[in-house]
Amino acid sequence: MKENMLIIHGGGPTAVLNCSLYGAVKEAMESGAVEHVYGAVGGTGGFLKGRLLDFSAVPAEELEKLPVTPATAIGTSRDALEPEDYMCMAELLQERNIRYVLMNGGNGTMDACGKLAAVCKDKGIFVMGIPKTMDNDIAITDHCPGFGSIARYMAGTVRELAVDVRSLPIHVVVLESLGRNAGWATASAALAREQDGDAPHLIYLPERPFVEEEFLDQVKTLYNRLGGVVVVASEGLRDETGKPIVPPIFQTGRSTYFGDVSSHLAQMVVRRLGIKARSEKPGILARASIAWQSPVDAAEAEQAGRAACRAALAGESGKMAAFRRLSTQPYQCEIFLAPIEEVMLGERTLPADYITPGGSDVTDAFCDWCRPLIGGRIPTMARLV
């Protein structure tokens, strides 16, 4: 009798998570090696409750919509798992004759992937990880599926915002970016620039302490020279003591719901400098946009899903499908299998050479690295005056 496969999603959604799901499901079905491909409805918590979707019952036309559907079609979760939960999961896998498990998610999910693989090591169950996070903070891999799309969103949206502010240069606009401890998404706003002097004029990353007086001095100088200023700031900004500049609204485990950094900074500009300012916060709109989905990101997400599926079927376990960059110009990457122990909760932040000495911008080295991931040019704007 053929064995079955289970796919589990964990953590926050992205614009290409369903691309990885599509790749894994199609690869499994095309292999002829499994009888049923199941999806855990609602992540690990859903699986522990026996909530499964059998993909063989899903119409083909619905499966084909997955690559252009944001978030996750089977649901996800941020469940905190205890040691006994992994033992329970292993028992449920055996009961349902599930021999292959693919866990698709970020740092927390890769940690869970490693722990489940360890529990299943002697049970003939193979567990593989598929990277996913718009934060781009998973260790070992060059980049993560989900990042290229939010990078494209940030570049395109900030370019549009910049044109608006340049047209009516009377205020400071602070746009807040997702990204808890790693500033990859925030940094990608730099790709909005078409020429020297273009917005964003300031980029504040969580990798560097936020100094209030330096911020105000820079904003005032730029405002006096330009009239209109665009600032992109990470939601995870901290001061020199490591304390968030805006207290979190709610925090549980690794999940933090930050206060409005953009609103805080805009109000600071108004009150301290007497300059008109406004805040913008796309929030989860930035990670859920199919309109700004990167074709490179979508293709690589599917490739990662297929690669992890093939590896599991070949008897690999306790590893993650990761990307190794071979060339930037022309862009070329390959997938390799990284030991999950080297990945688990190893948060990857921007390296120092990607951040300018002053800490309020990114370098050309970052832009060169990031540009291929957004999947081609974004619209160029007219300049008449």
Side-chain angles (χ1 to χ4, degrees):
M1 183 174 65
K2 293 180 180 179
E3 292 89 0
N4 303 318
M5 176 175 284
L6 174 66
I7 303 171
I8 303 174
H9 286 171
T14 75
V16 298
L17 182 49
N18 282 326
C19 295
S20 292
L21 178 63
Y22 176 82
V25 171
K26 294 290 284 187
E27 188 73 27
M29 289 179 168
E30 291 165 4
S31 73
V34 295
E35 184 172 5
H36 295 284
V37 183
Y38 296 116
V41 179
T44 52
F47 175 59
L48 286 168
K49 295 173 184 176
R51 300 177 62 201
L52 298 181
L53 170 71
D54 188 342
F55 281 99
S56 64
V58 177
E61 58 269 24
E62 287 300 306
L63 285 179
E64 294 304 316
K65 295 176 185 176
L66 285 175
V68 291
T69 302
T72 161
I74 57 174
T76 182
S77 68
R78 294 191 185 276
D79 299 306
L81 299 176
E82 301 298 331
E84 56 269 23
D85 292 322
Y86 293 102
M87 295 300 299
C88 183
M89 289 173 68
E91 292 172 2
L92 290 172
L93 292 170
Q94 289 180 307
E95 289 176 9
R96 293 183 175 271
N97 196 33
I98 296 173
R99 191 177 183 189
Y100 311 104
V101 182
L102 306 181
M103 299 191 71
N104 194 178
N107 280 313
T109 303
M110 291 305 104
D111 182 63
C113 178
K115 291 174 179 176
L116 182 61
V119 169
C120 294
K121 185 176 181 180
D122 299 322
K123 301 181 185 299
I125 298 173
F126 305 99
V127 185
M128 284 293 302
I130 307 171
K132 174 280 316 171
T133 174
M134 47 120 284
D135 289 329
N136 198 46
D137 60 353
I138 296 179
I140 307 299
T141 185
D142 176 78
H143 58 279
C144 301
F147 170 69
S149 292
I150 197 170
R152 185 173 179 83
Y153 177 97
M154 291 297 294
T157 299
V158 173
R159 180 172 290 184
E160 293 170 341
L161 173 62
V163 173
D164 186 289
V165 173
R166 190 168 67 239
S167 301
L168 186 62
I170 61 171
H171 54 198
V172 174
V173 179
V174 183
L175 185 142
E176 181 175 334
S177 170
L178 292 172
R180 183 174 55 237
N181 299 320
W184 298 97
T186 307
S188 64
L191 298 185
R193 297 167 179 150
E194 296 186 82
Q195 61 187 43
D196 290 343
D198 281 356
H201 304 106
L202 296 168
I203 298 176
Y204 290 100
L205 308 161
E207 284 85 355
R208 293 290 183 271
F210 178 82
V211 182
E212 188 173 299
E213 293 304 322
E214 289 182 3
F215 164 72
L216 291 171
D217 287 345
Q218 289 174 314
V219 167
K220 183 177 181 180
T221 299
L222 285 165
Y223 181 78
N224 289 340
R225 178 162 60 89
L226 302 173
V229 181
V230 175
V231 179
V232 179
S234 166
E235 66 177 355
L237 290 183
R238 290 171 172 79
D239 63 21
E240 294 166 292
T241 69
K243 182 181 178 181
I245 65 169
V246 181
I249 298 171
F250 177 72
Q251 189 165 10
T252 175
R254 293 183 65 250
S255 298
T256 301
Y257 296 84
F258 292 92
D260 287 334
V261 167
S262 55
S263 177
H264 174 76
L265 295 181
Q267 290 179 32
M268 186 187 302
V269 169
V270 173
R271 291 170 179 167
R272 297 282 301 279
L273 299 179
I275 297 172
K276 180 180 179 181
R278 63 187 305 153
S279 62
E280 302 290 345
K281 186 177 180 179
I284 60 175
L285 291 172
R287 76 182 188 199
S289 175
I290 289 297
W292 283 109
Q293 184 192 66
S294 161
V296 170
D297 196 22
E300 290 187 338
E302 180 179 339
Q303 292 164 13
R306 287 183 177 272
C309 179
R310 288 194 300 270
L313 293 177
E316 297 282 1
S317 189
K319 297 180 180 179
M320 182 190 79
F323 290 90
R324 178 186 293 120
R325 188 172 299 212
L326 303 177
S327 171
T328 293
Q329 292 183 341
Y331 174 68
Q332 186 179 5
C333 266
E334 67 177 5
I335 294 179
F336 70 101
L337 302 182
I340 201 70
E341 294 86 358
E342 298 179 14
V343 177
M344 295 166 68
L345 290 176
E347 195 167 51
R348 175 172 174 259
T349 57
L350 262 74
D353 64 327
Y354 282 1
I355 306 172
T356 57
S360 59
D361 206 342
V362 296
T363 63
D364 290 341
F366 167 80
C367 293
D368 292 342
W369 171 86
C370 186
R371 192 168 285 109
L373 304 180
I374 69 172
R377 297 173 61 87
I378 56 176
T380 298
M381 306 299 174
R383 293 174 187 264
L384 305 183
V385 294

